[in-house]
Amino acid sequence: NASVEQRYAFIAWQYWYRAVMTTPSKRALQSACHVASVLEALSDPTPGLDIYLGHDGNLDALSSLLDISWTAPPFPSSDLPTPPGSALLFTRHSS
């Protein structure tokens, strides 16, 4: 079994790989359909609940298209740390 320090070291390498291999525009393009669906649901004034499941790449795409960011210590924060188990919550309010 890996120690906590070893897990963080592995995640740091995974994060580095993702940062080098994917650009914000590539992330946004790869999840365009998913992001369009989320934006459509947010613009619908009808009461209800929409749940979307995805991966860190989907969260990265949303961050690129919506110009949002976050920090998640102890993960590197030069771009977007999207640690395991992370999520975004959007609340729709009536006007």
Side-chain angles (χ1 to χ4, degrees):
N1 292 335
S3 68
V4 172
E5 292 81 16
Q6 289 171 324
R7 285 184 232 159
Y8 283 141
F10 173 75
I11 291 170
W13 276 109
Q14 179 189 25
Y15 168 78
W16 176 85
Y17 176 81
R18 287 178 52 227
V20 169
M21 297 304 292
T22 59
T23 61
S25 58
K26 183 177 177 181
R27 289 189 295 239
L29 181 61
Q30 288 174 333
S31 294
C33 292
H34 186 238
V35 172
S37 180
V38 170
L39 295 176
E40 182 180 339
L42 289 172
S43 65
D44 183 357
T46 314
L49 173 68
D50 299 295
I51 298 174
Y52 295 90
L53 302 175
H55 296 276
D56 49 0
N58 301 112
L59 295 177
D60 293 344
L62 283 167
S63 71
S64 295
L65 289 172
L66 300 177
D67 194 27
I68 57 177
S69 62
W70 51 83
T71 58
F75 299 99
S77 61
S78 60
D79 187 18
L80 279 179
T82 309
S86 58
L88 294 176
L89 171 67
F90 297 100
T91 304
R92 184 173 54 226
H93 297 278
S94 59
S95 52

